[in-house]
Amino acid sequence: MMQAATVAAASCLPQQQRSSALRPRPQRRQRFTLCRASASVPDGHGKEPELVLPERQLIMAGVELPSQGQAVVAGVGDADYINRQLMEILAPKTDYLAEFLAIQNEQPRNVGFFGTRNMGFMHQQLIEVLSYAMLLTGNHIFTSGATGTNAAVIRGALRAEKPELLTVVLPQSKSKQPQESQELLEQVENIIDMPQNDNLSLLEASRICNQDIIRRVQQVICFAFHDSNLLLETCQQARAESKIVTQFFLD
């Protein structure tokens, strides 16, 4: 009877409106929400930001979606279930898994800064701002004591006035550092030097220093040129140890 009533009501409309009234409406495309596993910062309108993926992308990724009956009973926002499914898919790809877990975990972490000594003034200013911001959000920064990138990281960190969140690891004794670096290091509370490497070349001592920093951090940020062999080697080692690596190339 409802169908007959719909047809009768549609017959009273003009021809163009009648055809559109009788045409079946397409079903709305459902979207599947991947909920965060930890608390997140509201977006300013009282809502929690969510990572939303179309259901087709989840199906193509191999995630088993709940049936309509399961969705009615249990809902479709089961964060633990979906996250377990995604981690099973991403497990063989450690880079993607590390980035996924970093998105889910918004807690402060240890971050290692590496970079070239040959850097312009504008680039150093940008690094200072980045270092300053990361300390203000509670991250612990590890870097070395060379000029260029390391010096910019230290200057930015000192501006944040959180000395306990900055650690400088030196490749050799503090006395072996350049004079301009020593003046800046006087303001740093946490310094780890390696006098046992004083008899090594600076290149070899720096390689050991970088390896030490990698072991202490969860994330690596690197500023380099495409021919910065030691820095590229450092990033490759960090990836091999399943660290999150972000590279900025200056050329």
Side-chain angles (χ1 to χ4, degrees), residues 58-100:
L58 285 172
I59 293 173
M60 292 176 64
V63 178
E64 181 183 352
L65 299 180
S67 65
Q68 185 175 1
Q70 291 171 330
V72 171
V73 175
V76 295
D78 187 348
D80 293 335
Y81 168 77
I82 302 170
N83 291 342
R84 284 196 304 271
Q85 293 286 327
L86 282 175
M87 285 206 275
E88 288 178 6
I89 296 169
L90 297 175
K93 303 175 181 179
T94 55
D95 289 347
Y96 296 115
L97 179 59
E99 292 180 9
F100 174 72

Side-chain angles (χ1 to χ4, degrees), residues 59-239:
I59 293 173
M60 292 176 64
V63 178
E64 181 183 352
L65 299 180
S67 65
Q68 185 175 1
Q70 291 171 330
V72 171
V73 175
V76 295
D78 187 348
D80 293 335
Y81 168 77
I82 302 170
N83 291 342
R84 284 196 304 271
Q85 293 286 327
L86 282 175
M87 285 206 275
E88 288 178 6
I89 296 169
L90 297 175
K93 303 175 181 179
T94 55
D95 289 347
Y96 296 115
L97 179 59
E99 292 180 9
F100 174 72
L101 294 176
I103 293 172
Q104 296 292 87
N105 180 16
E106 295 184 348
Q107 299 299 319
R109 50 183 175 266
N110 296 342
V111 182
F113 274 83
F114 301 91
T116 177
R117 295 178 175 84
N118 304 317
M119 178 172 292
F121 178 72
M122 294 299 295
H123 284 140
Q124 292 189 43
Q125 281 191 319
L126 291 174
I127 294 175
E128 285 186 36
V129 172
L130 178 59
S131 172
Y132 172 76
M134 296 202 76
L135 255 77
L136 286 183
T137 52
N139 298 286
H140 191 132
I141 287 180
F142 291 79
T143 192
S144 193
T147 56
T149 299
N150 299 144
V153 170
I154 295 173
R155 287 195 298 269
L158 292 174
R159 285 176 50 201
E161 297 182 351
K162 294 187 175 183
E164 71 279 4
L165 294 181
L166 171 65
T167 299
V168 176
V169 182
L170 302 178
Q172 295 173 319
S173 300
K174 183 179 176 182
S175 60
K176 300 260 305 182
Q177 305 308 306
Q179 183 60 36
E180 59 270 27
S181 296
Q182 291 193 34
E183 294 175 0
L184 187 60
L185 292 173
E186 291 296 332
Q187 307 175 55
V188 179
E189 290 188 4
N190 302 321
I191 296 179
I192 301 172
D193 62 350
M194 299 181 178
Q196 67 273 20
N197 297 336
D198 285 352
N199 59 334
L200 300 177
S201 67
L202 181 58
L203 176 63
E204 188 59 33
S206 297
R207 179 177 286 108
I208 296 174
C209 175
N210 291 354
Q211 293 171 353
D212 182 86
I213 294 176
I214 289 174
R215 286 193 292 268
R216 299 173 184 270
V217 302
Q218 291 87 46
Q219 180 178 0
V220 166
I221 299 177
C222 182
F223 299 85
F225 295 96
H226 282 88
D227 59 353
S228 302
N229 295 329
L230 178 59
L231 293 173
L232 299 181
E233 176 187 321
T234 299
C235 292
Q236 185 176 1
Q237 179 186 351
R239 288 193 181 94

